[in-house]
Amino acid sequence: MIVRRALASLPAVACLGIAALLAGCGAQSDGTVEVAVIGNEAEVFADGVRLSPGGQLARSAVDSGLVAFDAAGEVVPALAERWIVTDDGLSFIFRLREGTWPDGSEITAVTAREALESAMRDLDGTSLGRDLSAVAEVRAMAGRVIEIRLAHPEPYLLQLLAQPELALRPQGDDSESGGTGPMTLAREENGVARYAYKPPSARGLPFDEDWQDGVQDLDLRVTDARQAIAMFDQGAVDVVLGGTLGDLPLVETGPLSSGTLRIDSTFGLFGMLVRRDAGLLANTGVREGLAMAIDRAEVIEQFNIGGWTATTRPVSPGLPGDPGLVAERWEGQIIADRRAEAAARVAAWRRQFDPGDLTQPARLTLYLDEGPGWDLLLANLAGQLRIVGVDLVRAPSRDEADMVLIDRVARFPAPRWFLGQFACPLRVGLCSETVDTMVADAVTQPDPVIRASLMAQAEAELTLANVFIPIGSPLRWSLVRGRVGGFTPNPYAFHPLPPLAEIAR
């Protein structure tokens, strides 16, 4: 079993650590659901707006925005009990539920507007902040009604407002124990974070004298992938969240995992971002050669996961409303011919600009996290690029890397999110100001057909710039026992804690 393999590869001290965790907890031992999140505590319980995936789960349990995501990734009411959208799509009007801030003061339109504006200011300079650029004004209207006015249509505004980073917190409130969300948090000495549901009245819901029959407490542990998998196998936890390709090889993916291993079919970016416009990577044609040399099906097949989508596009294929204007690259070309062309481009560049020992391959570095899955990925990519005369090795740090692996789930399924991740002001790697201008022009178009056409042109321009080498969609996995309700695989790979603590009645 996978636990025996994982424990066998751990040092004795680590095994003792797992034993202590197992001894100190037990799934179903006290009517709680036990959850392990892969990560580290500093990131999961971090304050601020640059949240890790685990941090998003922790934040969304204790703090709410106007709206939130449910278990299936659908937008549902939170602090706003209902809303309407005007016909032109330029005004979203929210009716707030009755409630109070953590200090006991009433949640009003004025205080909610101030909290939302504060959260948006904190996001300045981030990709999420750029996604919110359509917001022109937030207005406090009568009583508990606020209006968000847009400078141009933003079809995914609700998905943006549901992001945990946009949870509403009054000025100066940095408490992690409980805010406007559905649950409270108590940190225990053994490293467990216990989440408990608030009464219905504190959640803006009608009185229900039997409400406790439908919920249970949730104990959250933050640990690494090996320990989380071991705890799941031993029955110490009911759910493991936050799995990526980097730790997938630690999980049993055969028939024994049926019903417990859950894979999210996501949209997002998974590939190599070029950081340096220098040396071999200074040439757009060479960068294109590297992209055409990769057999993406071979990369994916080694992980034995069905349904994982490969792509040569910087925008995930199959997005809702995709007009089909952008095709996959090099369709119909066999990989041997593509690699021959790539090798010729690499050799031609070296003869002109790097005429040293041409018997040795050119060297490029890639930064990616540590983990058995990432090791397999690097070995496979290195083997493929070696065929075209490039030696790909792991970079010691992000700053020293020629390329960086990007593994990021989309916040909303629209081309603008994908293209926005490469915006020049973010300074994440090579970029195209021309693409930025094209995207800015596209988002102001009220006609969705024209907007989609302009976005397709922007994607084509970014593709020609060859600043990103796509491989596929991000892979996310979880382990879930059958007794746990409230878990649904979804395109955002976001599995909020409150539904996991609900008991079917």
Side-chain angles (χ1 to χ4, degrees), residues 273-275 398 404 408 421-430:
L273 175 65
V274 179
R275 290 191 68 251
R398 180 181 295 269
V404 174
R408 190 175 304 153
Q421 303 307 298
F422 306 102
C424 292
L426 296 178
R427 301 182 183 277
V428 294
L430 296 194

Side-chain angles (χ1 to χ4, degrees), residues 7 21 27 38 62 103 107 145 150 179 188 219 250 255 277 305 307 351 368 382 386 396 399 405 409 435 460 475 497:
L7 289 175
L21 285 169
I38 298 172
V62 297
D103 64 3
I107 296 177
V145 178
L150 304 181
E188 301 182 4
D219 283 351
L250 299 173
D277 186 12
I305 291 292
R351 283 193 299 270
L368 67 173
R386 197 170 294 119
D399 290 341
L405 182 74
V409 177
V435 172
L475 186 143
L497 302 181

Side-chain angles (χ1 to χ4, degrees), residues 47 136 139 164 316 336 338 349 446 462:
D47 198 19
R139 300 178 64 233
S316 286
R338 286 161 43 186
W349 184 90
L462 182 69

Side-chain angles (χ1 to χ4, degrees), residues 17-228:
I18 292 177
L21 285 169
L22 297 177
C25 63
Q28 306 185 58
S29 62
D30 60 352
T32 63
V33 58
E34 307 286 346
V35 178
V37 169
I38 298 172
N40 66 73
E41 287 197 24
E43 292 182 349
V44 171
F45 298 109
D47 198 19
V49 294
R50 295 182 183 271
L51 300 178
S52 67
Q56 291 177 323
L57 294 176
R59 176 72 58 81
S60 64
V62 297
D63 285 297
S64 290
L66 295 175
V67 293
F69 288 122
D70 66 8
E74 300 293 333
V75 175
V76 295
L79 293 185
E81 60 186 10
R82 60 183 181 272
W83 58 87
I84 61 172
V85 184
T86 57
D87 290 341
D88 60 7
L90 295 177
S91 178
F92 286 66
I93 300 172
F94 297 86
R95 172 78 176 183
L96 302 173
R97 64 170 169 82
E98 293 185 7
T100 59
W101 298 109
D103 64 3
S105 62
E106 182 183 3
I107 296 177
T108 66
V110 171
T111 56
R113 181 201 67 201
E114 292 172 348
L116 178 57
E117 289 177 336
S118 175
M120 292 175 62
R121 283 194 301 271
D122 290 342
L123 288 166
D124 283 348
T126 69
S127 60
L128 179 54
R130 292 179 58 84
D131 291 336
L132 291 163
S133 62
V135 176
E137 182 184 9
V138 181
R139 300 178 64 233
M141 302 174 72
R144 292 182 286 115
V145 178
I146 67 172
E147 178 189 17
I148 298 179
R149 290 185 173 180
L150 304 181
H152 50 78
E154 176 44 73
Y156 290 99
L157 180 66
L158 292 175
Q159 281 82 353
L160 289 170
L161 294 175
Q163 300 299 319
E165 291 87 346
L166 283 164
L168 302 191
R169 309 167 100 185
Q171 290 285 354
D173 177 28
D174 58 359
S175 171
E176 69 169 23
S177 61
T180 54
M183 307 183 92
T184 59
L185 165 63
R187 301 285 295 276
E188 301 182 4
E189 292 183 359
N190 61 357
V192 174
R194 172 155 291 193
Y195 291 86
Y197 258 107
K198 295 177 181 177
S201 59
R203 291 180 272 140
L205 300 175
F207 173 75
D208 179 2
E209 63 180 10
D210 299 321
W211 70 273
Q212 290 177 308
D213 295 339
V215 298
Q216 58 190 326
D217 290 348
L218 183 148
D219 283 351
L220 182 71
R221 292 167 174 79
V222 183
T223 184
D224 61 44
R226 289 183 185 273
Q227 288 191 349

Side-chain angles (χ1 to χ4, degrees), residues 224-306:
D224 61 44
R226 289 183 185 273
Q227 288 191 349
I229 295 167
M231 293 169 69
F232 184 87
D233 191 80
Q234 292 294 322
V237 297
D238 303 298
V239 181
V240 175
L241 300 175
T244 68
L245 183 67
D247 35 58
L248 181 65
L250 299 173
V251 183
E252 175 60 61
T253 58
L256 292 178
S257 69
S258 177
T260 59
L261 176 63
R262 310 288 184 89
I263 302 292
D264 292 295
S265 297
T266 66
F267 297 115
L269 294 172
F270 180 67
M272 296 182 287
L273 175 65
V274 179
R275 290 191 68 251
R276 302 183 188 280
D277 186 12
L280 189 66
L281 295 176
N283 185 281
T284 303
V286 173
R287 297 200 300 264
E288 182 185 29
L290 299 180
M292 72 170 63
I294 296 174
D295 184 340
R296 289 153 180 82
E298 178 186 318
V299 172
I300 288 173
E301 285 170 1
Q302 67 177 328
F303 291 98
N304 192 32
I305 291 292

